[in-house]
Amino acid sequence: DQQVKQNSPSLSVQEGRISILNCDYTNSMFDYFLWYKKYPAEGPTFLISISSIKDKNEDGRFTVFLNKSAKHLSLHIVPSQPGDSAVYFCAARSKTSYDKVIFGPGTSLSVIP
Amino acid sequence: KAGVTQTPRYLIKTRGQQVTLSCSPISGHRSVSWYQQTPGQGLQFLFEYFSETQRNKGNFPGRFSGRQFSNSRSEMNVSTLELGDSALYLCASSLDFTSGAYEQYFGPGTRLTVT
């Protein structure tokens, strides 16, 4: 039973345009969400996070939006750059189990020059 | 500050053998988590350690075990290896969540191939 879902395995975007990566979750006890980026042969690196008390968090070109009622979050990258090409993982922590992080299957983003 | 280090980076074992992987967290980080990554499955949570105690465990068989030492370094062990254990094993460290630090810092992983 996958509690964190990323339904698009891959996404292609032109350089300079907006990339939108989506994530859905099923567990209503999740109250902290994170996005990680992973390049081949490297471990994931933390990108941005959002607490369930917020609906938006912004850091430079990266913005995460949270819609609690829909149990949906999205990561926006504007403008997209070729160096953003990587696998993006959505992850969530539960208020009942902060020491356990649940990751989605990832979305592979390709930014085309 | 040095990042998370994992050794070895690559490992080839045969079915039935056992393997031990090592992880050194970022200095000052006391929480260490282990994940298994296979194609299409994302990162599957194995277990988390804090102050030498396992606080949480994922849905993996008992062949997967781990431990943490007093210096926060951690090891994970897989006994009686199966072909399906071939994967990238990732270690991540973090400050304890009680300090409000929820993000984890990952090592480069150990690529295990079981033949």
Side-chain angles (χ1 to χ4, degrees):
Chain A
D1 176 31
Q2 207 166 56
Q3 298 184 63
V4 178
K5 304 176 185 181
Q6 294 177 259
N7 293 322
S8 297
S10 62
L11 177 68
S12 286
V13 171
Q14 285 291 131
E15 181 179 2
R17 307 293 291 267
I18 183 172
S19 294
I20 300 176
L21 296 98
N22 294 304
C23 177
D24 297 289
Y25 61 96
T26 58
N27 190 338
S28 57
M29 298 302 283
F30 287 150
D31 68 346
Y32 198 85
F33 304 90
L34 310 98
W35 284 93
Y36 287 84
K37 178 168 80 171
K38 185 180 185 301
Y39 294 117
E42 294 182 14
T45 54
F46 170 72
L47 204 52
I48 192 170
S49 61
I50 188 167
S51 163
S52 61
I53 62 173
K54 296 184 175 182
D55 54 19
K56 176 182 174 182
N57 189 25
E58 196 170 352
D59 184 1
R61 297 187 297 114
F62 302 91
T63 303
V64 57
F65 296 92
L66 175 63
N67 182 333
K68 279 176 52 180
S69 60
K71 293 193 177 68
H72 175 84
L73 61 155
S74 60
L75 174 68
H76 293 210
I77 307 173
V78 183
S80 301
Q81 300 172 354
D84 296 329
S85 297
V87 177
Y88 289 79
F89 291 100
C90 173
R93 286 187 185 258
S94 162
K95 65 181 72 175
T96 60
S97 186
Y98 274 122
D99 42 30
K100 180 176 179 178
V101 182
I102 306 297
F103 281 79
T107 295
S108 178
L109 172 66
S110 295
V111 180
I112 304 162
Chain B
K1 208 182 244 189
V4 178
T5 57
Q6 291 187 246
T7 56
R9 290 293 310 276
Y10 302 92
L11 207 48
I12 300 175
K13 291 283 189 179
T14 55
R15 278 168 42 183
Q17 287 187 311
Q18 70 98 27
V19 67
T20 299
L21 312 181
S22 181
C23 170
S24 292
I26 290 172
S27 177
H29 286 192
R30 295 168 64 192
S31 170
V32 174
S33 299
W34 288 89
Y35 297 87
Q36 180 195 66
Q37 185 187 11
T38 53
Q41 293 296 313
L43 279 69
Q44 303 293 312
F45 175 81
L46 279 155
F47 25 65
E48 189 263 1
Y49 287 87
F50 179 81
S51 290
E52 302 178 65
T53 300
Q54 185 183 92
R55 289 196 296 196
N56 214 323
K57 191 177 190 316
N59 297 324
F60 279 82
R63 300 184 297 107
F64 291 81
S65 63
R67 59 177 175 168
Q68 186 181 35
F69 302 94
S70 58
N71 61 0
S72 294
R73 190 176 71 83
S74 178
E75 289 181 347
M76 69 162 280
N77 184 78
V78 188
S79 62
T80 320
L81 284 166
E82 300 177 0
L83 294 178
D85 296 333
S86 294
L88 179 68
Y89 290 88
L90 291 157
C91 165
S93 76
S94 64
L95 295 168
D96 188 35
F97 60 79
T98 55
S99 66
Y102 299 116
E103 61 266 28
Q104 296 173 303
Y105 297 84
F106 284 82
T110 294
R111 172 72 62 185
L112 172 66
T113 302
V114 182
T115 61

